[in-house]
Amino acid sequence: MTRPTPFHSRTSALNEGQRWEDWEGFLAATMYSLDPLVEYNAVRLGCGIFDVSPLHKYEVRGPDAQALLQRMVVRNLAPSRPGRGFYTVWCDDNGKVVDDGGVFHIAENHLRLTSTLPSLEWLIDNSSGFDVTIEDVSEELVGIAIQGPTSRDLLRKLTNVDLSALKFWHCTDADVCDRPTLISRSGYTGDLGFEIFVRPEDAEKIWDSAMALAPDYQMRPCGLVALDMTRIEAGLLQIDTEFISAKQTLFEVQTISPLELGVGWMCKLDGDYFVGRDALREEKANGTSRWKTVGVELDVTYIEKYFSEFAMPLHLPERSWNEAVPIYADEAQEHLIGRGTSGMWSPLLKKYIVIARIPPQYEKLGSRFFIEEVIEAKTFSIPATVVKMPFFDPPRKKA
Amino acid sequence: MAETYDAIVVGGGHNGLTCAAYLAKAGQKVLVLERRHVLGGAAVTEEIYPGFKYSVCSYVVSLLRPEVARELDLGRHGLQIHPQEFVYLPMENGDHLLTHGDPHKTRQEFRRFSKKDADRAGQFEDLMYRMAFAVKPILGYKPPNMAAPSLRDLSTLKEFGGHLSGLGKETFHQLTKIMTMSADDFVGQFFETPIIRAMHSLSGVIGTMLGPKSPGTAYVLLHHYMGDLDGAFSAWGAQKGGTGMVSEAIASAARENGVEIRVNAPVSQIIIENGTAVGVALENGDEFYAKTIATGCDPHVSFRKLVDEKELPGDFVRAIDNFKFRGSSGKVNIALDGLPAFTGMESPRFLSGAIDICPSTDYVEQAYDDAKYGGFSKRPAMEICIPSINDPSMAPPGKHMMSIFVQYCSYDMDQYGDRDQQREAFGNAVIDTVQEFCPNIKDLILHKQVLTPWDMEQMIGLTEGNIFQGELTLDQLFFSRPTAGYADYKTPIRNYWQCGSGTHPGGGIMAMPGRLAAKEILGGKLVI
Ligand SMILES: Cc1cc2nc3c(=O)[nH]c(=O)nc-3n(C[C@H](O)[C@H](O)[C@H](O)COP(=O)(O)OP(=O)(O)OC[C@H]3O[C@@H](n4cnc5c(N)ncnc54)[C@H](O)[C@@H]3O)c2cc1C
C-alpha cells in the first residue's frame, strides 16, 4: 500500500485536487494546484517546495567509507572532503547503469548516499573487505527540496548557517528552525536550490515554518509534474524514462551505459577501480557505444503546419511526457534510428525540447533527424535538431 | 560627415524594437532612436520608488505573437510570463465572483449566481474561440489596399474568404453580430448575472472612449480570445520584472543581431529630400542618414509632428487628423507596505491574477457617463494587478506593487480646472473606490504614481494619451489603420515606413506591427 510521508498532514491539506502518485511506495503529490504550470512557473520565478522524502538514504561510516563509495560509483570521489556532494550514477559489472543519486560527504569517515531505488543490498555486496558500517536511514530521514531564485533568501530566514558560503553541490550541517538538519545546495530542477534532510519528527515544524514565509518569497508547494518539467529543462535524467536500472531488466537491449546516457563526463576511466570500469574502458576503446543521449529541439512550425491540415490551430503539450517516441533518419520514416525519452513544450524557453537517445553518428550539435508526432491519429515527422543540453542553465544555479 | 545606416527606427517601443530586430536579422545596419531614458514606450518598467518596479503603463501580456517570440528567441532573451490563474471580482454587497484557470471551478462559481449562466459559459467560450480562430489569420496579413488591390492583396482576400466560408452558419451569424453590437448586448445573449456580464464586456471598452452599451464594442472582446488560441504557446499573464522586460528581451535580441540602440535621443524631424526620407534630425541637432526610416510612434506624431505638412498630400493629412485617439484610461501605480485585504477574499492567492472592479454593466456605463464630456469617473471601472504576489523581482519581500488600470479618464480634464488638481482628484477617486472593496488600502500606501491620458502623452508621446496609438474600433482597424491606402506600412513619403501599433493589427503588447512592417520593408520576406 502506498504510504503517507511525515509531511502528509500538511501536503494533503494543500493538494487541491487530491492528485497523488506512487513514488517508491509513498504518496507523492502529482500537483497541488489544478494547473501544474503555476507550480512550474513558481520554481523559475520565486521558488517551489517539494517533499522528496521517498528517496532512499544510506549512512556509510568508517575509515573506508569514502573508499567504498569510490568503488561503487563512477565519479571520482578523490577530491571529496567533508562538506562536498556529488551527483553520480553507478553501474553493474557490465558497465550498465544501475541507479543514480547523491553522495554527501558529511564528516570525516561519514558519507551519505541517496538513491532512487533501494540500494542497501548493493552497498553490502560491494563492501566486503572494507572497514565500514552501512545503515539504511531511509525512514529516519525525510527531505524537502526548496528550488528557485528566492530559495536562498527564504532559507536564510530559517537557518543559522551562512548560505552565501555554501557553494553548488556542497553541504553543511545546519539548524533549521532550531532542528538539526543537513542542507545541501543541490536539486533536480537546474535552478538555485537546496535539499534539506530532516528528522521525521521535525518535518511538520520545518514545513510550517517554510510555508509561513511563502508569501514573502513567492514560494509554492510543487508536485511531480513541475519537478519533471524543470528537470527536463535542466537536462537531468530520470530513472525508468531515460534509463532502466540494469538491476531491473533481464534484457541487454534495455540496459544503457553512462557513456550512452550522456554522463560519460563523470566516469573516471583512467582512475581507481569502480564497478563497471573495465567494461566502460572497453566500450570507449572499441567505440562500441550503441547510443548517445542528447538534447534536441523540434521545429514547431511543422507541428503547426500539420495541425492546419485538419483546419486546427497549433496545439502543444501542456506538460511534459515520458515515453519512448520513435526517431527516424528520414521524413518517410523508413529508417528508425532512436527514440525520444522525454519531452515538453518549455514555456520558459518557448521551445519544444526533447531528450533523445540516438546513434553516436548523430551526436553532433546541429545534427538533424525526425521525431514522430501523432496528430488526429495520423503520423507525422517533425524535424528535430541536436542542441546544447542542459536546455536551461541559469547563472544563478551556481552563483 | 554624419553616420549612415541601412535603416533608422524612430521610437524604442516594443514594436520599433521588433522591426529593428527583424531588419538586422536580414543583415541591415540598424539604429534605434528613443526619446526617453528607457526603452519600451508603453511597455516599460521603471523603479519609480526605491525597491519597487512599476509596470508604468501596460501590465498584462496576452497578445504577444508566438512567431515573434520564436523567431527572435525571446525565451533566451528573458521573456518569462507567469500565467494568470484567477480573476477576482469583488461586489458591492461584500460577495465576490472568482474565476479560476480550471473551467470546472469557474462553472461551479457561476452556479452560485445562475445555473443558466454556468451552463452557457462553455458555449460562450466555444463560440468566442471559434470566431477568434476564424479571424485570427488577419493578424498575420499585411492589410490589402482596398483602393488599388495588388495581386498579393487579392490572393490574401481570397484565402481569407475561403477561411471564413469554412465556418458554420451559426458562427458566421455571430461573427456579423460581434462586428456591430455593443459588448453588453453581445454578452447578454448568453449571461444574465450582472457581474458576469460586466466581467466580459469590460474588455470590450478598454482603451476606447465608449461604454459597454455603445455599439461596436463587442468586436474588441474577440481580440482577447486571439491570445487564447495559442494555447501552451502563449500565456496570459505577467512578465517577470514587468512589461518593460518584454521590450528589453526584444531589445536584447535586436542588439545580438547588431542593432545599435540609443536612448535620450528625441527625433525632431524626418529629413526629406524630393519626397524621399533620407534621414532624421535629433532635437540636439545631430543628424543620421539611412536608406529606410521607420517610425514606431503613433500616426499623429509620425505625420503631424515629425514631418512638414508640405511633404504630405492634403487628403492624407485630413485622414490623419480625423484618426481618433481620445484617451480614455488612466493608470495608478502604488507601492504597498503589505498585502491588501479585499473584502470576502478567502486567500491572498486569489489576488494573484486580475482584480476587476466592475460589479455590473450599469456601473461601468455610469463610469463612462461621468467621463464622456471630459473629466473622469467618480467611481471608475478598474483592473487591478498585484504582480509581486508571484514575482519577487517587483517589490521587496513582504511588500507589494499594485497596478491599477482605470477606465475612464479623459484627455481634456483641464476644462474642469487646474491639471495638477484634477490629477490629484482623479487619483483620490481611484483610491476611494478601491477602498470600498479593499478597506485597508490607504494604510498601506508608500508611494503613488497617477497618470492621466495627458501625462501619458507627455511621457511617451501617445497622442491624447490613447493607450493603443489610436482607438481600436472597427473603422480604425485592418485596411483602415491608420487610413485607407496606407495600411500597408508605407506612407506618402518614399522610404518612410510605419511600424507602431497605429498600424495593423493595432495596440497591445503584440509585436506584430513591427514584424509585419519589417517584412514589407524587406520586400515581403523575413529572414528568420
Ligand atoms: C496605461 C496603458 C496600459 C496598457 N495596458 C496594456 C496591457 O495590459 N496589455 C497590453 O497588451 N497592452 C496594453 N497597453 C497597450 C500597449 O502597451 C501598447 O499598445 C504598446 O506597448 C505600444 O507599443 P508600440 O511599440 O507600438 O508603441 P509605443 O509603446 O507607443 O512606442 C513608441 C515609442 O516612441 C518613442 N517616441 C515618441 N516620440 C519620439 C521621438 N520624437 N523621437 C524618438 N522616440 C520617440 C516613445 O517614447 C516610445 O518609446 C497599455 C497601454 C497603456 C498606455
Side-chain angles (χ1 to χ4, degrees):
Chain A
M1 213 194 69
T2 324
R3 291 181 294 158
T5 78
F7 295 102
H8 195 74
S9 62
R10 303 302 190 264
T11 52
S12 60
L14 290 164
N15 193 326
E16 284 177 36
Q18 292 304 320
R19 298 189 191 168
W20 304 93
E21 52 202 86
D22 183 313
W23 176 4
E24 282 294 294
F26 287 94
L27 281 168
T30 311
M31 58 183 108
Y32 289 89
S33 27
L34 298 175
D35 179 2
L37 270 188
V38 172
E39 296 166 25
Y40 157 84
N41 276 291
V43 176
R44 297 296 185 222
L45 200 56
C47 64
I49 180 168
F50 300 85
D51 173 4
V52 294
S53 304
L55 282 174
H56 297 274
K57 302 149 213 102
Y58 305 92
E59 305 285 30
V60 183
R61 291 191 178 88
D64 290 341
Q66 187 167 345
L68 165 62
L69 287 174
Q70 179 65 88
R71 180 192 158 90
M72 195 177 123
V73 305
V74 304
R75 254 189 102 168
N76 179 23
L77 300 183
S80 189
R81 304 278 171 272
R84 291 257 353 230
F86 298 86
Y87 168 72
T88 184
V89 300
W90 49 99
C91 294
D92 64 7
D93 271 333
N94 303 321
K96 297 300 191 293
V97 176
V98 162
D99 202 349
D100 67 342
V103 173
F104 301 91
H105 204 148
I106 294 175
E108 211 59 61
N109 301 332
H110 177 191
L111 288 86
R112 179 177 297 161
L113 178 77
T114 63
S115 63
T116 322
L117 300 175
S119 306
L120 183 61
E121 201 192 324
W122 196 260
L123 277 163
I124 292 172
D125 285 354
N126 280 292
S127 65
S128 64
F130 286 95
D131 185 1
V132 293
T133 59
I134 297 163
E135 188 188 356
D136 182 342
V137 291
S138 299
E139 307 214 350
E140 284 73 33
L141 283 173
V142 293
I144 50 173
I146 300 182
Q147 303 277 309
T150 56
S151 57
R152 182 161 45 201
D153 291 339
L154 182 144
L155 201 50
R156 264 195 191 117
K157 297 267 170 195
L158 299 176
T159 180
N160 57 340
V161 299
D162 175 14
L163 291 178
S164 0
L166 190 64
K167 293 207 284 267
F168 187 55
W169 273 103
H170 280 63
C171 58
T172 178
D173 282 321
D175 282 354
V176 173
C177 311
D178 301 318
R179 312 292 164 106
T181 72
L182 180 83
I183 299 180
S184 160
R185 170 109 179 251
S186 54
Y188 199 50
T189 62
D191 220 302
L192 172 64
F194 301 85
E195 292 173 298
I196 307 154
F197 296 94
V198 309
R199 297 179 311 192
E201 60 267 34
D202 301 330
E204 289 174 350
K205 160 93 181 150
I206 288 176
W207 178 277
D208 291 345
S209 308
M211 285 304 289
L213 295 169
D216 288 355
Y217 294 92
Q218 290 77 8
M219 184 177 77
R220 278 179 184 262
C222 293
L224 295 179
V225 175
L227 189 62
D228 193 46
M229 294 180 77
T230 45
R231 72 94 193 164
I232 293 174
E233 286 179 341
L236 298 168
L237 310 169
Q238 179 167 279
I239 197 161
D240 291 339
T241 302
E242 272 67 42
F243 66 95
I244 297 179
S245 168
K247 263 197 318 198
Q248 295 196 323
T249 177
L250 301 170
F251 311 107
E252 163 74 14
V253 65
Q254 290 188 318
T255 62
I256 191 163
S257 79
L259 307 179
E260 296 170 331
L261 194 55
V263 290
W265 59 269
M266 65 170 66
C267 305
K268 192 157 184 325
L269 298 182
D270 53 1
D272 290 347
Y273 176 79
F274 62 83
V275 181
R277 184 195 64 177
D278 299 344
L280 291 174
R281 273 186 182 170
E282 224 167 280
E283 178 184 333
K284 183 149 190 208
N286 302 337
T288 49
S289 296
R290 301 157 296 170
W291 309 108
K292 290 290 168 185
T293 301
V294 294
V296 306
E297 195 183 308
L298 305 197
D299 187 337
V300 183
T301 58
Y302 281 81
I303 306 182
E304 185 164 28
K305 188 173 110 192
Y306 297 139
F307 266 104
S308 72
E309 283 187 16
F310 300 97
M312 287 170 76
L314 170 65
H315 179 82
L316 292 165
E318 265 136 39
R319 32 176 125 154
S320 50
W321 47 261
N322 303 142
E323 69 247 18
V325 174
I327 292 182
Y328 297 94
D330 56 329
E331 187 164 9
Q333 303 195 345
E334 277 163 12
H335 304 285
L336 180 73
I337 55 168
R339 67 180 70 177
T341 49
S342 43
M344 68 186 281
W345 165 255
S346 163
L348 182 70
L349 304 168
K350 304 263 172 250
K351 300 226 157 100
Y352 195 143
I353 54 175
V354 171
I355 301 178
R357 186 191 293 181
I358 41 87
Q361 68 265 33
Y362 290 94
E363 182 195 18
K364 273 208 298 296
L365 286 184
S367 288
R368 291 173 63 87
F369 35 77
F370 296 86
I371 292 196
E372 181 179 294
E373 167 96 7
V374 177
I375 300 171
E376 289 297 297
K378 186 174 167 190
T379 301
F380 294 93
S381 298
I382 309 301
T385 308
V386 176
V387 297
K388 238 176 76 199
M389 197 162 72
F391 304 100
F392 177 67
D393 195 12
R396 64 179 179 249
K397 179 175 86 178
K398 295 187 179 174
Chain B
M1 175 59 199
E3 280 180 75
T4 66
Y5 295 83
D6 293 317
I8 293 171
V9 177
V10 183
H14 83 285
N15 275 310
L17 293 164
T18 303
C19 182
Y22 278 106
L23 293 178
K25 259 179 162 298
Q28 298 206 354
K29 186 180 171 206
V30 187
L31 172 68
V32 175
L33 298 167
E34 165 56 41
R35 181 173 141 262
R36 300 194 65 208
H37 63 287
V38 275
L39 293 172
V44 69
T45 304
E46 290 179 69
E47 190 170 326
I48 307 272
Y49 183 70
F52 293 78
K53 305 268 180 54
Y54 287 16
S55 273
V56 175
C57 292
S58 57
Y59 53 97
V60 60
V61 184
S62 60
L63 291 166
L64 185 71
R65 298 303 307 145
E67 50 268 52
V68 177
R70 190 171 65 222
E71 290 159 4
L72 299 183
D73 206 355
L74 296 185
R76 186 163 54 80
H77 290 285
L79 184 74
Q80 187 177 345
I81 293 164
H82 192 289
Q84 205 168 72
E85 227 186 326
F86 305 100
V87 182
Y88 187 81
L89 298 106
M91 293 162 65
E92 288 158 307
N93 66 3
D95 196 1
H96 64 268
L97 175 75
L98 177 69
T99 74
H100 298 250
D102 181 279
H104 299 294
K105 282 230 160 179
T106 300
R107 191 164 171 277
Q108 206 179 320
E109 174 78 350
F110 278 17
R111 277 176 73 86
R112 289 206 298 125
F113 297 90
S114 155
K115 290 183 180 160
K116 262 202 279 184
D117 285 4
D119 272 15
R120 291 212 180 120
Q123 203 191 335
F124 179 76
E125 296 293 323
D126 288 352
L127 175 68
M128 295 305 282
Y129 185 89
R130 248 178 295 147
M131 288 195 294
F133 183 51
V135 301
K136 193 190 127 190
I138 295 182
L139 293 185
Y141 297 142
K142 167 195 82 120
N145 185 336
M146 298 304 270
S150 68
L151 276 179
R152 183 146 70 97
D153 289 346
L154 290 175
S155 88
T156 303
L157 285 170
K158 183 154 169 272
E159 190 185 317
F160 186 57
H163 187 77
L164 284 186
S165 61
L167 295 173
K169 212 168 74 192
E170 170 62 14
T171 309
F172 191 77
H173 184 57
Q174 288 288 355
L175 195 58
T176 57
K177 283 194 185 177
I178 207 168
M179 297 284 180
T180 48
M181 283 172 97
S182 76
D184 184 49
D185 284 343
F186 186 81
V187 171
Q189 299 181 97
F190 299 87
F191 301 112
E192 57 186 16
T193 310
I195 193 158
I196 296 178
R197 283 170 73 148
M199 173 183 77
H200 284 298
S201 56
L202 181 66
S203 50
V205 296
I206 283 196
T208 51
M209 203 32 131
L210 292 170
K213 299 189 180 188
S214 310
T217 47
Y219 172 74
V220 184
L221 301 181
L222 255 195
H223 258 260
H224 289 257
Y225 283 82
M226 304 226 194
D228 279 10
L229 283 179
D230 303 313
F233 216 119
S234 82
W236 182 294
Q239 161 68 30
K240 176 182 177 186
T243 57
M245 294 302 113
V246 177
S247 307
E248 287 297 338
I250 299 171
S252 163
R255 285 194 193 98
E256 192 178 80
N257 283 290
V259 173
E260 181 184 338
I261 301 175
R262 298 198 187 183
V263 291
N264 296 314
V267 172
S268 62
Q269 197 190 343
I270 309 296
I271 304 169
I272 298 168
E273 286 171 6
N274 302 320
T276 303
V278 297
V280 301
L282 298 194
E283 276 174 14
N284 68 6
D286 289 356
E287 294 185 356
F288 301 94
Y289 290 86
K291 297 194 256 314
T292 300
I293 314 292
T295 167
C297 305
D298 76 24
H300 181 80
V301 173
S302 299
F303 300 112
R304 305 296 281 133
K305 291 205 159 152
L306 298 180
V307 168
D308 193 335
E309 187 168 340
K310 292 197 303 288
E311 303 286 351
L312 296 165
D315 55 347
F316 179 80
V317 170
R318 196 164 62 245
I320 296 299
D321 286 347
N322 286 331
F323 190 69
K324 291 184 307 266
F325 290 97
R326 303 196 302 194
S328 62
S329 319
K331 187 81 198 290
V332 177
N333 299 310
I334 313 179
L336 294 172
D337 203 16
L339 194 65
F342 280 76
T343 40
M345 160 190 108
E346 288 136 34
S347 156
R349 212 155 61 86
F350 298 149
L351 304 181
S352 67
I355 305 161
D356 285 357
I357 308 291
C358 57
S360 67
T361 312
D362 285 347
Y363 175 100
V364 183
E365 190 72 19
Q366 180 66 52
Y368 170 54
D369 285 347
D370 288 352
K372 199 153 126 186
Y373 306 106
F376 54 86
S377 313
K378 306 287 167 288
R379 292 175 77 215
M382 294 177 271
E383 179 154 274
I384 302 173
C385 287
I386 312 175
S388 49
I389 294 180
N390 286 325
D391 181 355
S393 65
M394 298 300 283
K399 318 263 184 225
H400 289 281
M401 189 269 154
M402 183 188 259
S403 148
I404 311 175
F405 182 87
V406 191
Q407 196 80 6
Y408 299 77
C409 179
S410 68
Y411 175 68
D412 35 67
M413 292 208 305
D414 53 332
Q415 52 173 308
Y416 295 95
D418 172 69
R419 220 173 255 296
D420 291 336
Q421 277 168 9
Q422 287 290 308
R423 182 188 303 106
E424 176 86 22
F426 165 66
N428 291 341
V430 169
I431 302 298
D432 287 343
T433 312
V434 173
Q435 194 188 20
E436 286 181 40
F437 303 93
C438 178
N440 71 341
I441 186 79
K442 287 188 183 169
D443 306 336
L444 300 173
I445 299 176
L446 297 172
H447 172 263
K448 179 172 81 183
Q449 178 192 35
V450 181
L451 297 171
T452 68
W454 183 84
D455 298 309
M456 293 180 206
E457 182 182 68
Q458 303 306 305
M459 186 170 73
I460 13 178
L462 291 169
T463 301
E464 293 180 22
N466 184 282
I467 69 165
F468 293 134
Q469 292 199 356
E471 284 191 320
L472 286 187
T473 46
L474 265 183
D475 57 314
Q476 301 202 139
L477 287 175
F478 203 37
F479 45 72
S480 308
R481 193 168 185 87
T483 178
Y486 295 99
D488 54 1
Y489 309 96
K490 293 198 180 107
T491 72
I493 297 158
R494 244 184 329 255
N495 297 351
Y496 185 42
W497 297 77
Q498 319 168 64
C499 66
S501 42
T503 60
H504 174 75
I509 308 167
M510 184 163 19
M512 207 52 179
R515 180 180 183 273
L516 285 172
K519 189 172 170 191
E520 290 310 304
I521 293 168
L522 295 168
K525 213 166 158 46
L526 292 173
V527 176
I528 290 156

